[in-house]
């Protein structure tokens, strides 16, 4: 079995591959004392995954994605109008615990700009739309997060949060992999060897996602487990967020009259959160709020398990309609792009 054949097998069985990676990460993370030392590897592994994702997205499509104002408007409304309402309702359950409240607000109010692109592509969604929207999402959350924290947690919470890690994460996880992918695509026009690289990196998507899942979970699960008694209260909140945001995203997509791939992208854009970016914000908080990073990491663990399910569930919920009932489908409805 050559590498491309193995990768094709992995894509057909991606849910099983991801669940195996998660199970292995839980075992290694809890049983191996040095597993937390994997934490510094999270950023480069995620950067490599995003490079492979960006390389598979034709950059000519990004220009069209920037002009999709209907999708951008729907995404902004979903993430910065509807999500805060959901978060307000859910966070009242931990309003009396400062660290739990701040952690929940930090992570749930910040929409994801990195691996959401990967999961969207794996679900047959328009990954190019979310890639084009990433700078706008990052800027909007940098500006609005302090305002939402002020409204939901008070002025003291705003004073504690530094926004520098947002800029660092944007450079390392978006700009650098994007620039590298653009350079490779440009050079591939002149080099047959580089043209062969693109299908290889596309074929590596599932193994790279499995490696990312393993690295993130194995590096963090012990710390979460040691604080499990305090963190138990936020697990159902994160699960409820996933459950609520899927139908809300589908409803917004229908109201905006988006086609199937773009609708799937919108659903993932509303469900996934920016946990890997806000984690440095949480780590910079004072000692009395030492629990906040674990609150953020707990959301990562819940979300990653949820994403494995949603990669299969969202295509089943958001799919091509029967032309006899819907009046036909557009070309983009009939075949969803994959990164």
């Amino acid at each position: 079995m050559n590498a491309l054949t193995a990768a094709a097998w992995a894509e057909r069985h991606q849910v099983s591959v991801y669940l195996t990676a998660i199970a292995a990460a839980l075992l290694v993370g809890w049983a191996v004392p040095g597993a937390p030392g994997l934490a510094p590897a999270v950023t480069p592994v995620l950067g490599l995954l995003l490079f492979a994702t960006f390389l598979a997205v034709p950059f000519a499509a990004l220009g069209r994605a920037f002009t999709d104002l209907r999708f951008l408007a729907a995404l902004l409304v979903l993430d910065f109008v509807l999500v805060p309402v959901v978060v307000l309702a859910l966070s009242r359950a931990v309003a009396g615990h400062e660290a739990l409240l701040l952690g929940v607000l930090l992570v749930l109010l910040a929409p994801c700009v990195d691996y959401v692109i990967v999961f969207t592509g794996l679900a047959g969604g328009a990954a190019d739309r979310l890639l084009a929207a990433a700078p706008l999402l990052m800027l909007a959350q940098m500006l609005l997060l302090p305002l939402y924290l002020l409204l939901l947690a008070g002025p003291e919470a705003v004073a504690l949060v530094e926004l520098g890690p947002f800029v660092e994460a944007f450079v390392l996880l978006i700009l650098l992999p994007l620039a590298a992918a653009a350079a490779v695509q440009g050079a591939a026009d002149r080099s047959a060897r580089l043209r062969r690289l693109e299908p290889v990196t596309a074929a590596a998507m599932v193994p790279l996602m499995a490696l990312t899942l393993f690295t993130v979970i194995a590096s963090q699960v012990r710390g979460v487990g040691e604080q499990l008694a305090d963190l138990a209260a936020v697990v159902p909140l994160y699960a409820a967020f996933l459950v609520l945001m899927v139908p809300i995203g589908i409803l917004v997509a229908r109201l905006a009259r988006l086609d199937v791939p773009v609708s799937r992208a919108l659903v993932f854009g509303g469900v996934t959160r920016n946990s890997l970016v806000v984690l440095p914000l949480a780590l910079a908080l004072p000692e009395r709020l030492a629990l906040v990073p674990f609150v953020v990491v707990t959301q990562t663990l819940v979300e990653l398990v949820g994403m494995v399910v949603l990669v299969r569930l969202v295509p089943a919920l958001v799919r091509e309609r029967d032309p006899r009932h819907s009046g036909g489908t557009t070309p983009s409805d009939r075949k969803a792009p994959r990164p």
Side-chain angles (χ1 to χ4, degrees):
M1 182 183 293
N2 61 38
L4 292 178
T5 302
W9 178 91
E11 183 170 359
R12 287 195 303 271
H13 300 86
Q14 59 186 266
V15 171
S16 297
V17 172
Y18 298 152
L19 289 175
T20 300
I22 290 171
L26 292 171
L27 178 62
V28 171
W30 190 255
V32 178
L38 291 171
V42 170
T43 295
V45 168
L46 184 57
L48 183 61
L49 174 66
L50 289 165
F51 166 73
T53 302
F54 299 159
L55 191 61
V57 175
F59 279 79
L62 290 184
R64 295 191 298 272
F66 276 117
T67 64
D68 191 348
L69 299 182
R70 187 187 301 175
F71 170 75
L72 291 176
L75 185 63
L76 291 176
V77 169
L78 182 62
D79 274 323
F80 299 109
V81 177
L82 299 180
V83 164
V85 174
V86 174
V87 173
L88 172 61
L90 293 175
S91 65
R92 296 311 89 189
V94 293
H97 193 301
E98 183 184 32
L100 295 182
L101 176 63
L102 186 55
V104 166
L105 295 178
L106 272 177
V107 72
L108 291 187
L109 290 170
C112 185
V113 296
D114 39 59
Y115 61 53
V116 62
I117 300 166
V118 182
F119 282 116
T120 298
L122 292 173
D128 61 310
R129 299 301 200 279
L130 288 175
L131 177 55
L136 182 60
L137 286 178
M138 183 66 85
L139 178 61
Q141 63 190 270
M142 289 173 63
L143 296 175
L144 293 176
L145 184 59
L147 174 61
Y148 288 135
L149 289 178
L150 178 65
L151 294 174
L152 301 181
E156 184 179 354
V158 178
L160 294 172
V161 176
E162 300 177 5
L163 296 182
F166 273 109
V167 178
E168 180 180 356
F170 183 63
V171 171
L172 294 178
L173 296 179
I174 299 295
L175 290 186
L176 289 182
L178 186 61
V184 171
Q185 280 196 16
D189 294 336
R190 303 182 299 273
S191 169
R193 182 176 298 177
L194 284 177
R195 280 196 295 273
R196 289 194 293 269
L197 176 63
E198 294 185 17
V200 172
T201 54
M205 289 293 297
V206 173
L208 282 171
M209 176 56 75
L211 177 62
T212 303
L213 291 171
F214 178 87
T215 306
V216 172
I217 294 174
S219 66
Q220 303 296 336
V221 69
R222 175 175 287 273
V224 171
E226 291 171 349
Q227 304 285 341
L228 193 57
D230 292 322
L231 296 172
V234 301
V235 173
L237 301 184
Y238 294 147
F241 183 84
L242 286 170
V243 171
L244 290 170
M245 289 311 303
V246 170
I248 291 174
I250 293 173
L251 177 60
V252 172
R254 288 180 178 173
L255 292 175
R257 295 184 298 168
L258 303 177
D259 66 27
V260 169
V262 180
S263 295
R264 293 175 184 173
L266 185 71
V267 172
F268 277 94
V271 168
T272 51
R273 302 291 91 191
N274 221 4
S275 53
L276 298 180
V277 173
V278 301
L279 183 57
L281 302 180
L283 290 169
L285 295 173
E287 181 63 28
R288 79 171 193 275
L289 296 171
L291 187 64
V292 173
F294 295 108
V295 179
V296 172
V297 169
T298 301
Q299 190 276 338
T300 308
L301 302 182
V302 173
E303 180 175 89
L304 289 176
V305 174
M307 288 300 103
V308 172
V309 176
L310 292 181
V311 162
R312 291 291 186 179
L313 180 61
V314 170
L317 295 175
V318 183
R319 58 188 178 184
E320 295 83 354
R321 298 178 183 178
D322 189 332
R324 292 171 297 180
H325 301 292
S326 64
T329 58
T330 66
S332 58
D333 288 333
R334 290 192 290 270
K335 181 173 179 58
R338 300 181 68 84

